């Protein structure tokens, strides 16, 4: 509550934005605005403090504990500030099969922080996350909002060096299958030996 | 099958991408620079299906067309879409809602993502048709929090469509009203379950709700609601454009149409592929994805919650249909195939899967919270630490057996079923681990330089 008195409310000078967000939902569904409001605060401040939680509660007309209850349910909201570059390493099966565990270990060694930690300068933080929906282009590293896909050792090292210089590079384009676009390979034209009973696919 | 083979060409259903009659439709524009703009979409025939529906058909005719196509929901459960739409109560003056489930979070699934990033207008068009059919004026897209690029593309596309009179009070110049709100989640697998999704949309914790009442009776804000997957909506666009008969000319008796499949794990060309239903795993894995890199021993047929199958001809030749997978003791799910390489120890692989569900359990009901979320991962940790016994294996099997069908929502079963299947097909690896104190396969570095 002390905080409330010392910092100006987040939405005080953002009435237009606030109106736009509340306007997305019917009046009887005002509470639906909780998640987008949390996003607005977190995008700006890299976490959502107690003061902001209280402010959102007041806007929506519910108790602060209810806002906190919503916030704590989801993996992506942070109660403590994360680093300027929040590294989210997908650790689910498809990524794990192409090296996400090793990628995570590599980052830990490189940066000296582990899952859930932020470095002393507030530059990097690491979070192990579950499936990011990039299963065909793993391993995937999500830096803040941006996906970096098919991260190899050298790509990882280059990316980290760039982020150290506060340079956030354009992600390299990684696709596969029908999402590659107009110049697709003629997949069916180059069919390899098919079958469990033949060639390298032999299983048992 | 012989009478099918003898049938005239036109009557024979399309069940392979090799069939010259087959055409990719939903991923036609995916991957093309700028395909996400309204100009691009319109110059490629965009919004003509919606115009046709709104100006030439009644809502019930649209529902009948979708029923005739035999389209089944593409989110995993496979419920017939037209039938679901007809569950909406008669118009009674209350607000009616269409919600699109874009929470795509099932490991191994990534088909919706590229539609939202590269071809958002295709989704919007499907939603206009869906709204018209169920006579809803308001629609919402619930997109998972991590898909920021897709979220921005959708928000921009909705704005573009509104400014062009494609959304709003007079859609495409008619007296039909449709508006769309894009709602961004924040990282919770359970919100892909439709009742949890509704709670999340209402600004509550994403715990599932009891069914009944079903969403059509009491959905978001207690209002009549229909919830469909992204690619169910985009399928509708092409059903309206080309007709139900075209859609039903592909696939098998119980599984019609074209569908997006995904393949990940160690294969030459992982990715999303559009195929007619009824095509085999072999066609996807070998012909399209180029086959496994190295030896494979099994695969998840439709995302990590579908029971894995061993790498055998009889399973590779299965048609990728609802019925085909059910007969094999598994499920089609989202069509997200994950290939399991021989050198990945199955206990380690399954611990990864279990950890996912343990992490995503909402904690509402006891079987899931205590079983899936607490004890099961602990048992796997014990095994992987080399401290397990044969009795532990029996205990784990008993535990997952007793979890089946007892939890409040499908999440616990989604974990229990693949664990059971892993015991069924790969028990030798579990036994090797407890007998020797070390795994049968010890490869640890999977990262390519």
């Amino acid at each position: 509550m002390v905080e409330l008195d010392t910092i100006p409310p987040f939405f005080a000078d953002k009435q237009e934005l606030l109106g736009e967000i509340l306007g997305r939902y019917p009046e009887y569904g005002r509470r639906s605005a909780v998640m987008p409001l949390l996003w607005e605060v977190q995008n700006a401040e890299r976490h959502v403090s107690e003061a902001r939680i209280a402010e959102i509660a007041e806007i929506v007309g519910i108790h602060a504990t209810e806002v906190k209850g919503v916030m704590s349910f989801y993996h992506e909201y942070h109660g403590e500030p994360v680093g300027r570059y929040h590294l989210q390493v997908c650790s689910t099966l498809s990524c794990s099969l192409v090296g996400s565990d090793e990628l995570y270990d590599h980052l830990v060694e490189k940066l000296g922080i582990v899952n859930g930690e932020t470095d002393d300068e507030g530059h990097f933080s690491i979070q192990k996350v579950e499936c990011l929906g990039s299963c065909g282009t793993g391993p995937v590293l999500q830096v803040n909002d941006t996906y970096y896909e098919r991260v190899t050792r050298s790509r990882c090292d280059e990316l980290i060096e760039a982020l150290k210089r506060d340079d956030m590079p354009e992600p390299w384009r990684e696709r596969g299958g029908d999402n590659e676009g107009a110049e697709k390979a003629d997949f069916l034209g180059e069919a390899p030996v098919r079958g469990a009973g033949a060639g390298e696919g032999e299983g048992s | 099958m012989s009478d099918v083979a003898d049938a005239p060409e036109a009557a024979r259903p399309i069940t392979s991408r090799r069939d010259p009659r087959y055409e990719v439709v939903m991923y036609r524009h995916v991957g093309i620079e700028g395909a996400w703009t309204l100009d691009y979409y319109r110059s490629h025939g965009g919004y003509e299906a919606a115009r046709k529906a709104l100006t030439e058909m009644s809502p019930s005719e649209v529902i009948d067309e979708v029923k005739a196509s035999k389209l089944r929901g593409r989110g995993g459960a496979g419920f017939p879409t037209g039938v679901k739409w007809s569950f909406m109560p008669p118009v009674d003056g209350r607000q009616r809602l269409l919600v699109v489930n874009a929470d795509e979070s099932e490991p191994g699934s990534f088909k919706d993502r590229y539609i939202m990033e590269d071809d958002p207008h295709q989704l919007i068009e499907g939603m206009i048709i869906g709204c018209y059919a169920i006579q809803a004026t308001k629609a919402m897209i619930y997109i998972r929090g991590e898909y920021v690029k897709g979220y921005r593309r959708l928000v921009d596309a909705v704005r573009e469509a509104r400014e062009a009179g494609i959304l709003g009070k007079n859609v495409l110049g008619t007296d039909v009203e449709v508006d769309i709100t894009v709602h961004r989640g924040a990282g919770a697998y359970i919100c892909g379950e439709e009742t949890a999704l509704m709670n999340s949309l209402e600004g509550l914790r994403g715990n599932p709700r009891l069914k009944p009442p079903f969403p059509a009776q009491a959905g978001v804000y207690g209002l009549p609601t229909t919830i469909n997957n992204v690619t169910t909506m985009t399928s509708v666009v092409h059903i309206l454009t080309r007709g139900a008969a075209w859609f039903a000319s592909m696939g098998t008796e119980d599984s019609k149409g074209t569908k997006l499949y995904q393949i990940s794990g160690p294969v030459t060309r992982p990715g999303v592929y559009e195929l007619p239903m009824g095509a085999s795993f072999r066609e996807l894995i070998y012909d399209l994805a180029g086959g496994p890199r190295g030896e494979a021993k099994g695969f998840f047929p439709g995302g990590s919650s579908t029971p894995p199958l061993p790498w055998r001809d009889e399973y590779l030749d299965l048609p990728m249909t609802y019925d085909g997978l059910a007969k094999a003791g598994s499920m089609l799910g989202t069509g997200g195939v994950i290939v399991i390489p021989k050198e990945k120890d199955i206990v380690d692989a399954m611990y990864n899967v279990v950890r996912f569900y343990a992490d995503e359990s909402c904690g509402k009901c006891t079987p899931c919270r205590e079983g899936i979320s607490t004890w099961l991962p602990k048992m796997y940790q014990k095994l992987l630490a080399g401290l397990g016994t044969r009795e532990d294996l029996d205990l784990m099997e008993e535990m997952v057996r007793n979890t089946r069908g007892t939890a409040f929502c499908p999440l616990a079963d989604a974990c229990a079923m693949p664990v059971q299947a892993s015991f069924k097909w790969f028990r030798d690896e579990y036994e090797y681990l407890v007998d020797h104190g070390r795994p049968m396969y010890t490869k640890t570095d999977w990262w390519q330089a």
Side-chain angles (χ1 to χ4, degrees):
Chain A
M1 286 300 134
V2 177
E3 260 186 300
L4 263 184
D5 302 331
T6 52
I7 54 167
F10 182 83
F11 291 99
D13 59 350
K14 301 179 183 67
Q15 288 306 310
E16 199 179 330
L17 173 69
L18 184 60
E20 189 271 312
I21 291 172
L22 292 172
R24 294 176 199 172
Y25 308 96
E27 185 49 43
Y28 51 77
R30 194 176 174 89
R31 188 173 170 149
S32 292
V34 169
M35 289 180 76
L37 293 175
L38 285 168
W39 273 125
E40 286 302 330
V41 171
Q42 179 162 305
N43 287 343
E45 303 186 340
R46 282 184 272 145
H47 77 302
V48 186
S49 66
E50 296 282 343
R52 301 308 190 208
I53 289 171
E55 183 186 339
I56 290 171
E58 200 176 317
I59 291 168
V60 178
I62 57 178
H63 294 290
T65 46
E66 292 178 279
V67 174
K68 215 167 176 177
V70 171
M71 191 178 139
S72 66
F73 187 85
Y74 302 92
H75 296 306
E76 286 191 275
Y77 295 128
H78 308 295
E80 296 291 326
V82 293
R84 191 148 61 244
Y85 301 101
H86 185 51
L87 311 177
Q88 297 145 91
V89 188
C90 174
S91 52
T92 316
L93 187 59
S94 296
C95 273
S96 163
L97 289 173
V98 286
S100 64
D101 297 325
E102 291 74 42
L103 165 61
Y104 170 76
D105 289 347
H106 186 70
L107 288 170
V108 167
E109 279 172 31
K110 231 178 149 54
L111 302 174
I113 46 174
V114 298
N115 187 23
E117 288 184 344
T118 305
D119 65 21
D120 293 341
E121 295 77 36
H123 201 78
F124 288 110
S125 50
I126 297 187
Q127 187 181 4
K128 271 186 131 172
V129 297
E130 298 294 354
C131 190
L132 291 175
S134 179
C135 315
T137 46
V140 55
L141 177 63
Q142 186 187 351
V143 182
N144 302 340
D145 288 343
T146 306
Y147 280 23
Y148 292 89
E149 296 166 275
R150 289 201 178 118
V151 181
T152 59
R153 263 188 190 85
S154 55
R155 279 178 166 184
C156 177
D157 291 343
E158 280 169 31
L159 176 61
I160 295 300
E161 289 313 312
L163 295 177
K164 281 182 179 168
R165 299 190 303 267
D166 277 325
D167 167 25
M168 188 128 171
E170 263 301 296
W172 42 87
R173 187 176 191 276
E174 287 293 351
R175 292 296 184 97
D178 286 335
N179 54 21
E180 278 188 29
E183 293 94 41
K184 289 167 198 159
D186 177 11
F187 303 118
L188 292 169
E190 42 178 288
V193 181
R194 316 166 85 208
E200 58 175 11
E202 171 58 48
S204 52
Chain B
M1 288 301 282
S2 64
D3 55 326
V4 174
D6 294 340
E9 172 78 3
R12 194 157 45 80
I14 301 168
T15 56
S16 165
R17 186 150 161 169
R18 286 176 180 279
D19 194 312
R21 294 170 295 169
Y22 182 72
E23 216 182 310
V24 166
V25 291
M26 282 186 286
Y27 258 41
R28 202 171 27 167
H29 304 304
V30 170
I32 294 168
E33 187 67 23
W36 50 85
T37 62
L38 181 58
D39 278 350
Y40 179 97
Y41 191 66
R42 282 199 131 167
S43 66
H44 289 78
Y47 291 109
E48 288 309 312
R51 185 185 302 281
K52 180 179 169 188
L54 270 54
T55 58
E56 296 172 22
M57 299 168 82
S58 70
S60 63
E61 281 171 343
V62 174
I63 294 180
D64 287 343
E65 190 73 7
V66 173
K67 273 185 181 165
S69 75
K70 299 200 174 147
L71 168 65
R72 295 173 64 168
R74 297 296 194 230
F79 195 83
T81 305
V83 177
K84 185 187 262 191
W85 288 0
S86 63
F87 285 163
M88 287 291 273
V91 175
D92 58 3
R94 282 186 297 166
Q95 175 71 55
R96 301 154 77 85
L97 293 160
L98 175 77
V99 173
V100 167
N101 184 344
D103 192 53
E104 182 165 76
S105 312
E106 168 83 3
S109 312
F110 46 103
K111 62 184 169 61
D112 302 346
R113 174 182 161 198
Y114 299 103
I115 286 186
M116 295 186 286
E117 288 182 2
D118 289 7
D119 201 2
H121 285 286
Q122 189 186 175
L123 173 59
I124 293 172
E125 180 167 19
M127 292 174 70
I128 291 172
I129 297 166
C131 277
Y132 179 66
I134 64 167
Q135 299 179 66
T137 54
K138 179 95 184 152
M140 296 169 122
I141 303 170
Y142 186 98
I143 182 170
R144 61 176 300 184
E146 294 86 347
Y147 283 180
V148 182
K149 188 173 172 186
Y151 172 77
R152 290 185 183 138
R153 288 265 164 87
L154 278 171
V155 168
D156 289 346
V158 166
R159 188 185 305 121
E160 264 188 314
R162 226 177 254 151
E163 285 165 4
I166 292 166
L167 290 173
K169 295 252 181 248
N170 301 97
V171 175
L172 296 162
T174 66
D175 58 3
V176 176
E177 180 184 350
V178 175
D179 204 12
I180 295 176
T181 294
V182 189
H183 186 94
R184 188 177 160 209
Y189 169 74
I190 188 60
C191 290
E193 195 281 327
E194 62 180 14
T195 62
L197 185 153
M198 294 194 296
N199 274 347
S200 184
L201 260 182
E202 289 184 16
L204 299 161
R205 290 168 68 85
N207 294 325
R209 298 180 188 172
L210 193 64
K211 285 195 284 195
F214 291 95
Q217 275 74 52
V220 180
Y221 310 130
L223 298 168
T225 304
T226 292
I227 304 176
N228 287 132
N229 177 262
V230 170
T231 49
T232 307
M233 291 278 99
T234 56
S235 298
V236 167
V237 174
H238 305 287
I239 290 169
L240 267 286
T241 304
R242 294 162 185 245
W246 160 81
F247 196 77
S249 72
M250 294 175 276
T252 60
E253 202 40 53
D254 81 305
S255 305
K256 297 289 188 196
T258 179
K259 177 175 158 49
L260 296 164
Y261 294 90
Q262 305 112 110
I263 179 161
S264 61
V267 292
T268 307
R269 290 187 294 269
V272 184
Y273 294 94
E274 190 171 338
L275 284 103
M277 295 200 79
S280 67
F281 285 104
R282 197 185 298 280
E283 182 168 339
L284 172 67
I285 297 171
Y286 284 92
D287 295 359
L288 295 170
R293 287 190 275 106
E295 281 185 43
K297 66 182 168 194
F299 61 100
F300 288 85
S304 68
S305 63
T306 60
L309 296 166
W311 201 263
R312 291 185 195 159
D313 282 334
E314 58 185 296
Y315 296 117
L316 290 170
D317 284 324
L318 278 176
M320 298 189 286
T321 59
Y322 299 101
D323 193 41
L325 270 300
K327 279 184 185 146
S330 189
M331 296 185 306
L332 181 64
T334 61
V337 174
I338 308 172
V339 171
I340 311 167
K342 187 179 181 187
E343 286 190 292
K344 180 75 174 179
D345 198 77
I346 201 71
V347 186
D348 193 31
M350 290 312 298
Y351 173 56
N352 187 298
V353 171
V354 166
R355 200 205 54 219
F356 173 83
Y357 292 98
D359 196 53
E360 300 295 345
S361 171
C362 81
K364 180 187 175 95
C365 74
T366 311
C368 189
R369 185 185 59 246
E370 303 300 322
I372 299 300
S373 189
T374 309
W375 282 105
L376 198 54
K378 279 188 202 290
M379 295 299 286
Y380 271 95
Q381 284 161 10
K382 184 179 176 188
L383 299 192
L384 290 166
L387 303 170
T389 63
R390 290 259 179 163
E391 289 70 35
D392 289 332
L393 300 185
D394 295 337
L395 179 64
M396 290 166 78
E397 279 197 285
E398 193 190 334
M399 209 168 91
V400 289
R401 193 167 56 241
N402 288 327
T403 306
R404 289 283 300 275
T406 63
F408 190 84
C409 87
L411 188 141
D413 279 5
C415 180
M417 288 187 297
V419 169
Q420 278 187 311
S422 74
F423 272 92
K424 178 178 174 188
W425 300 114
F426 305 102
R427 203 175 208 278
D428 57 328
E429 291 185 42
Y430 283 96
E431 288 176 353
Y432 186 98
L433 175 56
V434 296
D435 291 348
H436 296 79
R438 60 189 156 77
M440 189 185 284
Y441 299 101
T442 52
K443 178 173 172 176
T444 51
D445 191 357
W446 296 87
W447 202 15
Q448 298 192 321

